[in-house]
Amino acid sequence: ECLPGATAFVPALVQSGIPANRFVFEGFLPPKKGRQTMLKMLAEEERTIILYESPHRLVKTLHELAAVFGAERQAAVCRELTKIFEETNKNTLAALAAHYEHHPPKGEIVLVIEGNSSRRPQKEMEEETE
């Protein structure tokens, strides 16, 4: 049997305000081997990217994403969804990294990252904003 259950990435995607019409869920990034290869591949992804991350690796991951994807790429850190300390923080990857350096996060984290819009046709990008 397949039973519906709690899935953190769906509410995170909706709350993020980042286009939800096309997305890819990658779960956790590889901790070491293959991590840079995966980041480089995801940097080219045109769809919205959803990742899970642990609180103790969040800042490092945000810095890596900013370096590979570009510091100005929009993203959202969604934390403790459906719980009392729920929080969604949307900004650039660089700004999010700076914020969480000074405010270490706790709890379960979902990252929602804007897709690479430099490769999409202009018409498709205009349709997303309508």
Side-chain angles (χ1 to χ4, degrees), residues 93-108:
L93 288 167
L96 289 169
H99 172 78
Y100 287 105
E101 279 180 350
H102 300 292
H103 303 91
K106 293 180 182 176
E108 299 170 354

Side-chain angles (χ1 to χ4, degrees), residues 1-2 6 16 25 28 48 55 59-60 69 73 89 99 105 111-113 121 127:
E1 277 184 66
C2 180
S16 73
F25 171 69
F28 286 93
T48 296
V59 172
K60 176 186 175 195
F69 287 32
R73 180 92 62 107
N89 190 351
H99 172 78
L111 285 170
V112 182
I113 308 154
E127 289 172 359

Side-chain angles (χ1 to χ4, degrees), residues 5 11 13 16 21 27 33 47 49 57 65-66 70 73 77 86 97 104 118 122:
L13 178 61
S16 73
N21 57 327
K33 188 174 182 175
R47 297 171 291 181
I49 302 158
R57 281 197 313 250
L65 289 167
R73 180 92 62 107
V77 174
E86 180 176 320
S118 68
Q122 184 64 31

Side-chain angles (χ1 to χ4, degrees), residues 28-47:
F28 286 93
L29 290 170
K32 293 182 182 166
K33 188 174 182 175
R35 186 175 177 96
Q36 289 303 312
T37 302
M38 176 67 86
L39 288 173
K40 288 175 186 170
M41 180 191 74
L42 290 174
E44 299 302 316
E45 178 62 61
E46 296 174 7
R47 297 171 291 181

Side-chain angles (χ1 to χ4, degrees), residues 4-130:
T7 306
F9 82 81
V10 174
L13 178 61
V14 173
Q15 272 187 217
S16 73
I18 294 173
N21 57 327
R22 294 179 65 230
F23 64 89
V24 58
F25 171 69
E26 291 291 332
F28 286 93
L29 290 170
K32 293 182 182 166
K33 188 174 182 175
R35 186 175 177 96
Q36 289 303 312
T37 302
M38 176 67 86
L39 288 173
K40 288 175 186 170
M41 180 191 74
L42 290 174
E44 299 302 316
E45 178 62 61
E46 296 174 7
R47 297 171 291 181
T48 296
I49 302 158
I50 304 167
L51 303 171
Y52 286 159
E53 191 51 273
S54 68
H56 69 276
R57 281 197 313 250
L58 179 64
V59 172
K60 176 186 175 195
T61 297
L62 287 168
H63 281 297
E64 288 174 331
L65 289 167
V68 177
F69 287 32
E72 296 305 309
R73 180 92 62 107
Q74 289 291 308
V77 174
C78 304
R79 196 176 70 71
E80 291 295 279
L81 296 173
T82 75
K83 297 177 184 168
I84 194 164
F85 296 110
E86 180 176 320
E87 170 187 75
T88 297
N89 190 351
K90 183 179 176 188
N91 213 319
T92 64
L93 288 167
L96 289 169
H99 172 78
Y100 287 105
E101 279 180 350
H102 300 292
H103 303 91
K106 293 180 182 176
E108 299 170 354
I109 296 170
V110 181
L111 285 170
V112 182
I113 308 154
E114 167 183 65
N116 185 344
S117 61
S118 68
R119 298 183 43 168
R120 284 184 283 177
Q122 184 64 31
K123 183 177 181 188
E124 185 179 319
M125 291 186 339
E126 288 169 359
E127 289 172 359
E128 283 182 1
T129 58
E130 292 177 358

